[in-house]
Amino acid sequence: MRYAYGVTTALLLAGSALTIATGFPAGAQVAQNDSAQIAAVVPRAGAPASFADLTQQLQPAVVNISTRQRVKVQAQANPFAGTPFGDLFGGQGGQGGGQTREAQSLGSGFVISADGYIVTNNHVITAEGQGEVESITVTMTDGTDYPAKLIGKDAASDLAVLKISGPKPFPFVTFGDSKRSRVGDWVIAIGNPFGLGGTVTQGIISAVYRNTGTGSAYDRYLQTDASINRGNSGGPMFDMRGNVIGINNAIFSPTGGSVGIGFAIPAETAAPIVEKLRRGVAIERGYLGVRIQPLSDDLAASLGIPKKRGEFVQSVEPGQGAAKAGLLPGDVVVSVDGTVVTPEQSLSYIVANTSPGKHVPLVVIRNGQTMTLNAIVGKRPSEEDLAKQTFDPEQKGDEDFGPGSTAKPHANNAPAMQTSLGVAVIPVTTQIAHQLGLGDDVHGVVITEVDESSDAAAKGLQRGDIILSANYKPVTSRTDLDAIVKQAKTENREAILLRIQRRGQPAFYFPVRLR
């Protein structure tokens, strides 16, 4: 779990939009269908006098979920191997063999049908590390336990559907319309924080369609200040009509506890996926094969375009839809199939929700010019396959050109610093390219020094990085770089866009502010 001001999803939230329905005379479904009764329970305007009546009707459909896991652990060496006591401590050849330990997890969920279908987060019922989930138990409000069967799960959206069976109909809730949610609307969350079953918290919607910067296809949440803590994951966030408008999923916190910034998967995102999981239908998502990043202030400044207009393409995967359409690294995708790309409607979200095989126009900005490309959307790989393809442009290296190398500056011949960028560079030679593990076809200038007070240093540029281009123009000498920087300043640009090659990584674009 990442606690230091990171988005945390380790059994933290509760969420899913629904209205309670029961097989009994009194219940949330009755209250929802009876407008007079709803008006009496939920005030239409102003602060509610109490959430008690609404909670009483909704709480029976919210459940606690616990799993029992068998997790593989690295066995320690047997210090008594080869002695008469060796067999007492196990292990072979002085090493312990195939040991496992038992682990448990706690989360929340909610019943969505009288016959016992339950919605929760995928991470609530997924084993940690090399583990395997042996059993899932659902505990109702009255303390009754039921063994649960996993019907389906989806890692990309972090959703899962379980099934329990009982002698009589279960109280249940239904999804509401999260598209109608507004900042300032009252909400309540019911869940299992820290194993304390049936805990209710209240708050308001703090933001609609909050992007947290993870870059995932479903980085699009309802934000709330209702207290959400460890164990609330998978529980529902209700509106004042008893509808589930969100599934609590993550928090932003420096400590791991609630600080009033919680995130819930919107019902409009969750409901269609839950229905497919429930029916056993395969979930297929669109895919173009690009690595993208938001258009930050520095990126926008280096490109000379307005910020928050589209997303920047860092790399294009060969053979996929984007490459076949002619999309190039350095392009800015402004819209897809007529839908404008914004922080709230990210490129990943739009494409993931486009059917594979569909032809879509892509409006892009390339070197200041707007053009339209036609792409065929492919099928998105599994999350496991995508994880293998990721790289981190910010990853630090430990490059050293070695004693006597022409790339290693000495006091009497150190290259001059490009003051506006805060880097010193020399041309890439064959020897330098080989020392950096690159081919003979790489041309550019290699960074030999970075001014610690510069934006380049703050952004992570480092000794051994090769600058291939600046503002899309090839750079093969310090003179080339100086000329491009001078032109950028003439055009009143506050930043310059560098294309960087680093050992073991694909080339990536890197905006650096000028000084």
Side-chain angles (χ1 to χ4, degrees), residues 208-298:
V208 177
Y209 302 144
R210 174 70 75 199
N211 185 307
T212 64
T214 63
S216 69
Y218 293 98
D219 186 18
R220 191 171 183 264
Y221 300 97
L222 295 176
Q223 181 182 326
T224 180
D225 67 346
S227 295
I228 293 171
N229 287 288
R230 182 170 186 169
N232 276 122
S233 277
M237 185 169 76
F238 294 102
D239 64 15
M240 292 296 96
R241 290 177 174 82
N243 300 308
V244 178
I245 58 169
I247 302 176
N248 295 325
N249 177 259
I251 65 173
F252 190 80
S253 171
T255 63
S258 174
V259 294
I261 304 178
F263 303 103
I265 303 170
E268 65 176 291
T269 297
I273 297 174
V274 166
E275 183 58 28
K276 288 182 178 180
L277 292 175
R278 183 175 173 179
R279 293 188 288 113
V281 176
I283 298 175
E284 294 186 346
R285 298 181 174 87
Y287 185 71
L288 284 178
V290 293
R291 296 285 178 270
I292 56 177
Q293 72 178 82
L295 202 60
S296 64
D297 291 348
D298 288 355

Side-chain angles (χ1 to χ4, degrees), residues 419-464:
T419 54
S420 295
L421 284 175
V423 296
V425 300
I426 59 175
V428 173
T429 64
T430 301
Q431 180 184 3
I432 292 174
H434 289 174
Q435 288 174 333
L436 295 175
L438 304 173
D440 296 338
D441 58 342
V442 175
H443 303 285
V445 292
V446 62
I447 295 175
T448 60
E449 185 180 358
V450 181
D451 185 344
E452 294 182 357
S453 65
S454 67
D455 186 57
K459 295 285 182 57
L461 273 180
Q462 59 195 37
R463 174 180 165 79

Side-chain angles (χ1 to χ4, degrees), residues 490-501:
T490 301
E491 296 172 355
N492 294 320
R493 296 195 186 186
E494 297 178 354
I496 191 171
L497 186 65
L498 305 178
R499 184 162 171 79
I500 302 296
Q501 179 75 64

Side-chain angles (χ1 to χ4, degrees), residues 50-72:
S50 173
F51 297 96
D53 290 338
L54 188 61
T55 299
Q56 183 178 10
Q57 295 178 33
L58 298 173
Q59 201 163 28
V62 181
V63 301
N64 298 338
I65 298 174
S66 62
T67 69
R68 189 174 299 278
Q69 307 173 15
R70 184 64 58 181
V71 181
K72 294 180 181 179

Side-chain angles (χ1 to χ4, degrees), residues 67-311:
T67 69
R68 189 174 299 278
Q69 307 173 15
R70 184 64 58 181
V71 181
K72 294 180 181 179
V73 295
Q74 183 67 38
Q76 296 181 347
N78 180 358
F80 297 97
T83 73
F85 305 100
D87 292 340
L88 297 177
F89 297 91
Q92 297 178 356
Q95 296 291 329
Q99 296 185 9
T100 62
R101 66 176 174 85
E102 189 175 271
Q104 293 181 322
S105 68
L106 291 173
S108 305
F110 52 93
V111 185
I112 59 171
S113 66
D115 57 349
Y117 283 94
I118 293 171
V119 174
T120 186
N121 283 150
N122 175 62
H123 72 263
V124 171
I125 52 83
T126 300
E128 58 177 272
Q130 300 287 324
E132 178 181 349
V133 174
E134 293 185 331
S135 65
I136 303 174
T137 301
V138 169
T139 303
M140 308 298 290
T141 304
D142 62 4
T144 306
D145 290 337
Y146 294 93
K149 177 183 178 181
L150 176 62
I151 301 301
K153 62 179 182 177
D154 179 50
S157 61
D158 197 17
L159 294 170
V161 175
L162 309 176
K163 178 71 168 63
I164 59 175
S165 299
K168 57 185 179 181
F170 294 100
F172 67 94
V173 291
T174 58
F175 284 105
D177 185 3
S178 60
K179 295 190 295 294
R180 298 177 59 187
S181 300
R182 301 170 61 200
V183 174
D185 283 348
W186 283 101
V187 293
I188 62 173
I190 305 178
N192 181 28
F194 303 113
L196 303 172
T199 297
V200 182
T201 58
Q202 60 80 26
I204 62 172
I205 293 178
S206 305
V208 177
Y209 302 144
R210 174 70 75 199
N211 185 307
T212 64
T214 63
S216 69
Y218 293 98
D219 186 18
R220 191 171 183 264
Y221 300 97
L222 295 176
Q223 181 182 326
T224 180
D225 67 346
S227 295
I228 293 171
N229 287 288
R230 182 170 186 169
N232 276 122
S233 277
M237 185 169 76
F238 294 102
D239 64 15
M240 292 296 96
R241 290 177 174 82
N243 300 308
V244 178
I245 58 169
I247 302 176
N248 295 325
N249 177 259
I251 65 173
F252 190 80
S253 171
T255 63
S258 174
V259 294
I261 304 178
F263 303 103
I265 303 170
E268 65 176 291
T269 297
I273 297 174
V274 166
E275 183 58 28
K276 288 182 178 180
L277 292 175
R278 183 175 173 179
R279 293 188 288 113
V281 176
I283 298 175
E284 294 186 346
R285 298 181 174 87
Y287 185 71
L288 284 178
V290 293
R291 296 285 178 270
I292 56 177
Q293 72 178 82
L295 202 60
S296 64
D297 291 348
D298 288 355
L299 258 178
S302 68
L303 296 169
I305 62 177
K307 62 181 179 179
K308 296 185 178 180
R309 180 189 177 192
E311 288 187 303

Side-chain angles (χ1 to χ4, degrees), residues 303 312 329-332 365-368 469-474 497 509:
L303 296 169
F312 186 83
D331 288 346
V332 176
I365 298 175
R366 179 179 296 170
N367 201 16
S469 69
N471 283 355
Y472 301 109
K473 297 178 180 178
L497 186 65
Y509 283 94

